Amino acid sequence: MAMSGGVDSSVAAARMVDAGHEVVGVHLALSRNKTYGDGRQRGCCTLDDALDARRVADKLAIPFYVWDLSEEFAEAVIDDFIEEYRLGHTPNPCLRCNETIKFTAVLERALAMEFDAVATGHYAQIVQGAAGPELHRAVDPDKDQSYVLGVLQPRQLAHSIFPLGADTKDIIRAEAEARGLLVAQKPDSHDICFIPDGDTAGFLQRHLGSLPGEIVDSESGEVLAEHDGTYAFTIGQRRGLQLSRPAADGAPRYVIDVEIGSRRVTVGPPELLDVYALEGIKPIWTTSPLGESPVELLAQVRAHGVPVPARAYAHGDRMMVELLVPIRGIALGQAVVLYDGTRVVGSATIAVTTRAA
Amino acid sequence: MSDRSYLDHAATTAMLPDARAAWLAASEHLGNPSSLHAAGRSARKVVEESRESIAADLKTRPSGVIFTAGGTEANNLAVKGLYWQRQQSSGSKSPMRVLASAIEHHAVMDPVVWLGEHEGAIIEWLGVDHDARVSTTKIAESLAQKPAIALCTVMWANNEVGTIEPVERIAELCKEQGVPFHTDAVQVLGQVPMNLGALGADAVTISSHKVGGPFGVGALIVNPATGFTPLLHGGGQERDIRSGTFDAPAIAAFAVAVRHAVAHQEEHARAIRDLRNNLVERVLATVPGVILNGDPDLLGGGRLPGNAHFSFPGCEGDSMLMLLDAAGVDCSTGSACTAGIPEASHVLLAMGVDERTSRASLRFSFGYPSSSVDVDRVVAALPGAVDRASRTVSSRSK
């Protein structure tokens, strides 16, 4: 049972115990900067969080250990995050962490030690289907985390348990309260856990340094401003451009393109952001792969994005997705997750976007 | 018979029934040992009798026994207290040198590092050989060098691998050069004869809970002629070196535990040595590739009798600990820090063990409640744990 010290994994652990499993709590030490929280912590990775997890395990009378995966995390998640930004992509580190740490490093280690499964406090549901275990959205649409679990391979899914997916967060909080878990009132974590101050641009600047370039207008080609690094810009971004002059028509301008070689950031009107089709690399098929002929599904490109109707098919080792309703502002490196109703079909990393209809 | 085996006595051991009785008896009496009335005098008597008892057992003078709230405080007092005092008496604020072995417990190492970072102290880490033993020749060379040395600190025996250091010789060398010498003896009390009068160190750290007394009490046994700048200021209860109300019940129980440790040292050492040697022989015979760390002479006087420390190359120490825990064996990866995160041991690294192997290590330490049942349980559980833990490494390195 992966225990972050938060409300969700604590209740999930309690439910695993109630269900009669032989449960061992494991807290993952992911950060090398071992600090205490400030009492208002939002993350999941301070020593206070480890202590909270330990106290929950005490209460549930289950063994508890801390596994140091900081090395793996630094390499597979943090370095990857920085490298992706350097390449002008927009990665999702939570998804990468699930893929490489929680359901690979932890799961493999647990299986090697002859445990049967890893349980987490993620909001998602596993349903046993004819073709094997299926991953479905959680009942609570606000908390649904199936998007960041879209990276799970069938084998990983077969050894995963998500005890919370059939309930809403309100019910989980109330249950934590009723069980007397002291973490019941802890705030949810939202930020990237290794950037606790939320200043992603500052974090990237510390790692990538200053790489100045120009911000140009998509129509006139005019240089509107200078910037310190392309990594501070994401396609579709509107805020923080700090352009001195408004567009001719007074309409807001968005980041349309980020070029790494020339360090040029292009801004323009939002219509230029509409994406009609995309290609994903390194597809992961949750239960079984799609065939070569298009199927009508739903596509989602952000953790809390709105799914849109799409036609998708497999083409070699790529996932091809035609969006029947265009999505505005998709950056390379984001993950596309395909759904059939509530069921996750698969996911891939977006490598190509087509903006003309 | 318990269905678990506790083999982590170097971390802490069971409280002795006599110590508990002394503790409870003293707790029934009202009185602050520093008060001047009858109640205070009676409490003070308990403290002073305990002090005299400990001094007699360790063959030193009662005036040198400074009670502290444990080994960590005693080590901090020795390291910082000596540094500040020496710097003050040198009449100059210029940085001084500190000689410290590279394998000290964190309770010595961290104050030394702190002095370097915050007081500008020049730290000279004394390296060790593959058995974790410092070189007296090198120490003599370091002691002969300028500029001035504030103190030299070398533990009497290492807490992880059990190697006993040549403290008698180091004390002599320090005395020749007029350098104060501190030794952390937390691990040796009860396992090795201790004659502090003969040793002549300026400061020796001991701790109660390692010998069957309560937690939260220890002592720094000092040479009363050596000055220490206090860490804690207040009532000046302990010769103005240490302030804080005496914990009379804990001190009384501590004295009982020390008396027991010293009185039974020889038979205790023999008993745990036999168990330890049995464990080592059987582990070496049954686990392929296993390495015994520390002094390999199991019959000589260079290793704590209760210590066994192994590396299991290809395994992850914390996976092993978890699997043995599930099999009913309590042991240690050596150095657990605040959050229980196992780190590569600085002791093993100083011995020249590579990082991966050092993370594949476990310590088993015996105490007075240990028996051959415990050895049997470890020997039965180890092959399975090694097998599974080696799979966790291969899956991690993918």
Side-chain angles (χ1 to χ4, degrees), chain A residues 162-311:
Chain A
F162 308 124
L164 305 186
D167 287 306
T168 62
K169 180 79 183 198
D170 290 346
I171 290 175
I172 301 306
R173 266 198 199 284
E175 184 173 329
E177 196 84 55
R179 288 177 181 274
L181 301 176
L182 292 173
V183 294
Q185 293 309 321
K186 265 177 94 164
D188 285 5
S189 54
H190 289 297
D191 300 304
I192 297 172
C193 69
F194 53 88
I195 312 179
D197 63 3
D199 180 12
T200 305
F203 174 85
L204 290 168
Q205 185 161 15
R206 282 196 297 282
H207 286 87
L208 295 171
S210 182
L211 298 167
E214 296 171 341
I215 301 180
V216 302
D217 186 273
S218 64
E219 277 156 38
S220 64
E222 198 186 345
V223 176
L224 300 172
E226 304 275 317
H227 66 77
D228 282 340
T230 50
Y231 47 77
F233 301 90
T234 295
I235 290 175
Q237 176 182 342
R238 178 183 164 191
R239 293 185 337 185
L241 297 182
Q242 294 174 324
L243 302 179
S244 47
R245 264 167 300 161
D249 57 1
R253 283 176 292 201
Y254 296 80
V255 174
I256 303 295
D257 236 326
V258 176
E259 269 180 68
I260 298 310
S262 61
R263 296 182 192 164
R264 181 178 296 133
V265 174
T266 309
V267 298
E271 306 84 75
L272 295 180
L273 287 168
D274 285 349
V275 172
Y276 293 86
L278 51 87
E279 290 179 26
I281 55 168
K282 299 185 214 154
I284 291 163
W285 305 108
T286 311
T287 309
S288 46
L290 281 185
E292 301 260 328
S293 42
V295 190
E296 299 245 346
L297 295 167
L298 296 167
Q300 183 176 332
V301 298
R302 292 185 189 89
H304 297 285
V306 177
V308 302
R311 264 196 295 271

Side-chain angles (χ1 to χ4, degrees), chain A residues 99-117:
Chain A
E99 181 183 13
T100 58
I101 305 294
K102 291 187 183 147
F103 297 94
T104 299
V106 175
L107 180 63
E108 292 304 325
R109 195 166 171 191
L111 292 178
M113 292 168 82
E114 296 182 3
F115 288 93
D116 301 312

